[in-house]
Amino acid sequence: MINLKNPSLYNNREISWLQFNTRVLKQAQDESLPLLERLKFLAIYGTNLDEFYMIRVAGLKKLFAAGIIVSSADKLTPLEQLREIRKYLHQEQQVVEHCLSGILKKLEPEGIRVKYYQDLNQHEKNRLNRYFNENIYPVIIPIAVDATHPFPHLNNLSFGLIVKLKDSDNTTIERFGIVRVPRVLERFIEIDNGTYVPIGSVVAQHIEDLFPGYTLIKYAAFRVTRNADIEIEEEEADDFLEILEEGLKLRRKGAMVRLEVGINGDDEIVNFFNRHTNVYQDDIYRFHTFLNLSSLWQIVSNKNFAHLLSAPYKPKTLPPLDNNENIFSTLEKEDVLLYHPYESFDPVVKLIQEAAKDPDVVSIKMTLYRSGTDSPIVKSLMSASESGKQVTVMVELKARFDEENNLIWAKALEKAGAHVIYGIKGFKVHAKATLITRRKNGKLKQYAHLGTGNYNPSTSKVYTDMSYLTSKDEITNDMTRFFHFLTGFSKKGKLNELYMSPSQIKPKVLSLIQNETRKKSEGRIIAKLNSLVDDDVIKALYKASQAGVKIDLIIRGICCLKPGIEGVSENIRVISILGKYLEHARTFYFKNDEAGVYISSADWMPRNLMRRIELLTAIKDKTAKEKIIQILELQCADNTLAHELQSDGSYKKIKSDDAKVIDNHKYLEDYANKIAKASTKESAQLVKELSSNIFKQEL
């Protein structure tokens, strides 16, 4: 009997995440992609890594400092994980810089150039000098550091220059200072169209203007990263909003966990800085290129060079939602499953907008996790409330890095008269759900939306997610109970048709896996997730594999399960798909289950299954169920965007020997375009048949 608790059977969560970000980096290295598309992936890589250090590395440092030896199934201690992370990232940094330099060099013939101040001609320098005096000098902050000038507090992700100066009148006197570059200033100054100058190189040329009477000896750009994980003592929180607002202020002052230094950052400059900040030596990263990869978004978003990005795709509104029929009437006739971004998110927005205007609608209940900065959905909810409808909104104020935006929306909704719930004590509400109640023929009729992604029209264009729209009573009745649970007191929190974490989803998932295990070689599981971490679920999948169940896992990010281990997981295949769109949907197929197909807001991670309010929905509608199965099979067949996880924890890009190339993103774009075109020319029945069979034609 193989011991399924053996640490060698599990990938470390943090290293698995680093492998995911490496796959993002490989997209930037892919020479078949347009140049700005590659630069975009470098920006994503940098943004991801910032958050990883702010949250995951910061958390490991706190565990180590507290002397806590907490380990997951792989049994690595916090210190061992920190060492592995640092080793991994220092090695990868060289790859990142080589990739960036190569892309920038290839962009030059296309008209995009990144130049440093010293590389400009005199005319360009004169223009930048004027720009500095008019736009930078008034807001920049020169800071002396000595016995009478203490080292300043630097907020999270602060950027600036460390400078060493000498007294112009007495050259034996040398001093250090810091120049803070506020975030209101963009990190590149664009001169002409397509020529970008890093702001640090411009500021460096004017140091002596900022410190009159001193001569610059040397300087280096720097960037700091702090612990940004907000801890909220909910037991102490009489006013949750006030506590959260205080937490947002503290985020800027968290412990420093990383220092990035530019090419000129020699030991003397770094040692001066670190005497005041005490960043661990292996958390100091020295760059030969400019700091802050996320600033590359400024270049990527230049609309004059949009031809250097992947061809844009316009999401389609397909039958039965492509006509002018009242959306409530449509949902009374049939359920609708949408797969974004191939199918537009507009019908979901339209559902809320129509509900806000419809005089027969009496109430709207909704959960909001990440809604975006200019949300048409929130504006419709406010309008509905102001018109006298009962509006109840669960705004999750603990949605990481969206807390401030959610605070703004929560206050605006309250001001409009909505009943706003600010969270459930001890849990994050991560479920994506809407329930609309409407009068029809003297009775109340309800309509529901359940999704795998956020109510954010902007991200819906780049995230793949699923939306399920229905008016089935068994679903809407459970939705009513769900919202009663959120607004009131409940010791049970149990639903009948839906499944809710923390009490129901994990037992249901384990039961579904065990049911397939009993079927042995007749068992079949396909699961699409962002992350797989939960030990109990992994053990259940191992047992299913040992019984002969064929298992395909489509996991974009973290996967702690190891496939292909003889006697344990040889029947499990794991792929990760990265491409034009961010794979975000959570959906599952269990061949021998009565319902068979499910969608969920939850990944198979302890936090989702035990520490969040999530929903798992069985898809019983035959058309919707078949659609999901075909999408899953299509992704399993992808031989262009997929990387396959090896038993040693590494990933290999899948290269097909077949003549047929399957890029599921491109295929699904073509599918939606084909259906949209057919719906304008063909009969409704023919379009319906085409919709139900198009994936099968490929497979």
Side-chain angles (χ1 to χ4, degrees):
M1 178 71 73
I2 295 173
N3 178 15
L4 295 184
K5 293 183 179 180
N6 188 329
S8 67
L9 298 180
Y10 300 87
N11 293 318
N12 175 260
R13 171 190 168 137
E14 314 306 344
I15 302 304
S16 183
W17 185 91
L18 290 174
Q19 289 271 14
F20 155 68
N21 214 30
T22 296
R23 296 194 293 281
V24 175
L25 176 60
K26 286 186 182 298
Q27 292 294 109
Q29 295 173 289
D30 186 347
E31 295 188 0
S32 70
L33 295 177
L35 288 168
L36 281 188
E37 193 74 12
R38 294 174 62 191
L39 201 67
K40 180 185 80 174
F41 279 108
L42 268 184
I44 294 170
Y45 172 91
T47 303
N48 288 347
L49 195 54
D50 286 346
E51 184 171 338
F52 179 74
Y53 244 95
M54 286 188 281
I55 304 300
R56 302 304 307 174
V57 173
L60 289 171
K61 282 172 168 278
K62 285 185 70 175
L63 290 175
F64 172 68
I68 299 172
I69 307 299
V70 175
S71 57
S72 53
D74 61 273
K75 301 300 182 186
L76 289 182
T77 68
L79 180 58
E80 289 170 333
Q81 293 179 69
L82 286 167
R83 285 173 175 163
E84 289 295 318
I85 289 166
R86 291 158 177 156
K87 178 182 176 183
Y88 191 106
L89 290 176
H90 279 290
Q91 290 176 345
E92 191 163 81
Q93 183 184 330
Q94 298 176 22
V95 179
V96 172
E97 294 193 284
H98 178 75
C99 178
L100 176 59
S101 298
I103 294 172
L104 292 179
K105 187 173 182 180
K106 290 184 176 182
L107 279 170
E108 289 182 6
E110 303 290 343
I112 295 178
R113 298 174 179 82
V114 175
K115 289 186 173 183
Y116 291 88
Y117 182 95
Q118 58 269 27
D119 299 324
L120 302 173
N121 60 43
Q122 193 56 49
H123 172 69
E124 291 170 328
K125 288 179 179 178
N126 291 339
R127 285 182 59 192
L128 277 179
N129 292 339
R130 288 194 299 273
Y131 184 90
F132 176 85
N133 290 325
E134 294 172 5
N135 298 283
I136 300 177
Y137 185 81
V139 295
I140 207 130
I141 308 167
I143 303 168
V145 179
D146 57 24
T148 58
H149 296 86
F151 193 87
H153 171 77
L154 300 169
N155 289 338
N156 186 30
L157 302 182
S158 286
F159 170 77
L161 302 181
I162 309 164
V163 297
K164 184 179 180 183
L165 310 161
K166 64 181 177 182
D167 191 312
S168 300
D169 298 323
N170 184 350
T171 56
T172 62
I173 299 175
E174 295 180 346
R175 304 179 68 179
F176 283 96
I178 286 177
V179 180
R180 293 177 64 177
V181 180
R183 292 186 193 181
V184 294
L185 299 173
E186 292 186 317
R187 291 296 172 256
F188 294 99
I189 301 168
E190 187 178 8
I191 54 172
D192 301 321
N193 180 39
T195 300
Y196 293 89
V197 183
I199 192 170
S201 77
V202 178
V203 173
Q205 300 301 315
H206 295 86
I207 293 298
E208 293 170 14
D209 297 327
L210 296 168
F211 296 94
Y214 287 85
T215 304
L216 179 65
I217 300 174
K218 56 185 174 182
Y219 76 93
F222 74 89
R223 185 170 179 258
V224 301
T225 310
R226 293 185 175 276
N227 181 347
D229 204 9
I230 298 175
E231 292 185 8
I232 298 173
E233 299 295 336
E234 296 183 63
E235 297 290 346
E236 307 294 327
D238 294 325
D239 187 334
F240 192 77
L241 267 71
E242 187 177 327
I243 293 290
L244 184 63
E245 287 172 332
E246 189 61 33
L248 289 170
K249 294 175 186 175
L250 291 174
R251 170 177 283 170
R252 297 192 289 268
K253 302 177 182 179
M256 200 174 292
V257 293
R258 180 179 62 168
L259 171 64
E260 297 166 282
V261 185
I263 188 170
N264 300 320
D266 61 16
D267 288 345
E268 183 183 26
I269 279 185
V270 171
N271 290 338
F272 153 73
F273 192 91
N274 213 21
R275 282 198 302 272
H276 300 279
T277 57
N278 197 29
V279 178
Y280 185 68
Q281 194 65 35
D282 287 345
D283 291 317
I284 299 174
Y285 295 82
R286 304 185 191 215
F287 285 83
H288 293 88
T289 53
F290 48 83
L291 307 183
N292 190 5
L293 291 174
S294 59
S295 65
L296 294 171
W297 283 112
Q298 184 182 343
I299 300 174
V300 171
S301 60
N302 189 329
K303 293 181 179 178
N304 293 315
F305 296 92
H307 60 284
L308 297 177
L309 287 163
S310 292
Y313 169 78
K314 185 178 180 181
K316 302 297 185 292
T317 300
L318 302 179
L321 300 176
D322 60 336
N323 53 38
N324 293 321
E325 183 180 38
N326 180 290
I327 195 167
F328 300 113
S329 299
T330 301
L331 296 183
E332 287 164 14
K333 289 185 283 187
E334 60 184 304
D335 291 355
V336 177
L337 183 105
L338 305 176
Y339 190 34
H340 314 299
Y342 314 102
E343 295 176 86
S344 177
F345 192 72
D346 288 349
V348 180
V349 177
K350 183 182 176 184
L351 175 69
I352 310 302
Q353 290 174 334
E354 286 194 10
K357 296 174 184 176
D358 190 333
D360 292 326
V361 168
V362 295
S363 78
I364 306 172
K365 298 178 181 179
M366 192 170 193
T367 60
L368 286 179
Y369 193 75
R370 303 185 195 275
S371 56
T373 54
D374 187 27
S375 172
I377 288 175
V378 179
K379 290 176 181 177
S380 292
L381 292 172
M382 292 165 61
S383 175
S385 181
E386 287 166 348
S387 68
K389 291 178 172 59
Q390 183 195 68
V391 176
T392 303
V393 189
M394 165 65 237
V395 180
E396 181 48 78
L397 297 182
K398 292 176 285 186
R400 186 175 289 147
F401 301 119
D402 270 345
E403 301 97 340
E404 199 161 355
N405 186 55
N406 285 1
L407 269 171
I408 293 168
W409 282 129
K411 290 178 178 178
L413 282 162
E414 269 199 337
K415 189 175 180 181
H419 175 56
V420 179
I421 313 154
Y422 293 113
I424 304 296
K425 191 168 107 176
F427 299 95
K428 278 187 180 179
V429 179
H430 192 246
K432 327 297 184 185
T434 299
L435 180 65
I436 296 164
T437 304
R438 185 171 177 262
R439 288 192 188 92
K440 182 177 174 62
N441 299 327
K443 296 181 180 180
L444 293 180
K445 178 68 178 171
Q446 294 184 303
Y447 311 81
H449 169 268
L450 290 150
T452 66
N454 297 304
Y455 288 106
N456 187 328
S458 297
T459 57
S460 73
K461 294 173 183 170
V462 291
Y463 286 27
T464 72
D465 271 306
M466 291 185 178
S467 283
Y468 180 51
L469 297 146
T470 183
S471 66
K472 283 191 168 72
D473 290 342
E474 58 268 32
I475 298 290
T476 59
N477 289 342
D478 252 11
M479 294 276 280
T480 298
R481 281 189 283 272
F482 171 71
F483 279 103
H484 284 175
F485 169 75
L486 294 184
T487 59
F489 295 104
S490 173
K491 290 185 178 179
K492 284 188 175 182
K494 185 177 180 181
L495 306 176
N496 298 324
E497 283 292 321
L498 304 175
Y499 302 88
M500 180 174 66
S501 65
S503 60
Q504 289 181 284
I505 294 181
K506 183 171 178 177
K508 180 62 178 177
V509 168
L510 292 174
S511 173
L512 288 165
I513 296 171
Q514 288 158 5
N515 184 52
E516 297 301 316
T517 303
R518 286 190 287 271
K519 301 297 181 180
K520 299 185 178 180
S521 61
E522 294 300 312
R524 180 79 172 104
I525 299 171
I526 309 176
K528 177 176 171 59
L529 299 151
N530 295 328
S531 299
L532 171 57
V533 176
D534 189 86
D535 299 354
D536 295 327
V537 174
I538 293 173
K539 290 187 183 83
L541 290 169
Y542 282 158
K543 289 177 182 177
S545 172
Q546 290 173 327
V549 178
K550 185 184 177 187
I551 303 169
D552 278 291
L553 303 175
I554 307 163
I555 302 175
R556 185 194 77 216
I558 302 165
C559 182
C560 294
L561 176 148
K562 288 187 176 181
I565 299 174
E566 186 177 353
V568 177
S569 57
E570 64 263 52
N571 289 313
I572 303 177
R573 177 176 182 255
V574 181
I575 62 170
S576 172
I577 292 174
L578 277 89
K580 184 175 181 179
Y581 303 114
L582 181 78
E583 294 292 334
H584 193 254
R586 294 94 164 181
T587 185
F588 322 110
Y589 167 60
F590 297 92
K591 177 184 174 183
N592 294 287
D593 176 64
E594 183 182 355
V597 174
Y598 296 79
I599 65 168
S600 182
S601 58
D603 285 307
W604 290 349
M605 303 176 74
R607 72 180 188 189
N608 299 90
L609 301 176
M610 305 305 296
R611 300 192 295 276
R612 289 184 174 184
I613 308 295
E614 307 266 16
L615 287 173
L616 173 72
T617 307
I619 305 297
K620 296 181 179 180
D621 177 81
K622 184 179 178 181
T623 301
K625 182 189 299 189
E626 183 63 25
K627 181 175 180 177
I628 291 174
I629 293 171
Q630 290 183 39
I631 290 170
L632 290 173
E633 290 177 340
L634 176 69
Q635 291 211 313
C636 287
D638 188 294
N639 56 23
T640 304
L641 306 178
H643 296 71
E644 186 165 356
L645 176 60
Q646 310 299 302
S647 57
D648 64 358
S650 64
Y651 283 80
K652 286 186 179 178
K653 184 79 179 285
I654 293 174
K655 294 181 180 178
S656 175
D657 296 329
D658 300 334
K660 188 172 281 293
V661 174
I662 302 176
D663 174 338
N664 86 93
H665 289 181
K666 179 69 167 61
Y667 187 83
L668 287 163
E669 285 182 349
D670 292 344
Y671 151 75
N673 285 336
K674 187 173 183 178
I675 301 300
K677 186 176 180 180
S679 66
T680 63
K681 298 180 179 180
E682 309 293 347
S683 68
Q685 182 58 34
L686 185 62
V687 171
K688 191 170 184 178
E689 290 175 9
L690 188 61
S691 299
S692 63
N693 292 316
I694 192 155
F695 302 119
K696 291 178 181 176
Q697 292 174 13
E698 185 68 27
L699 302 172

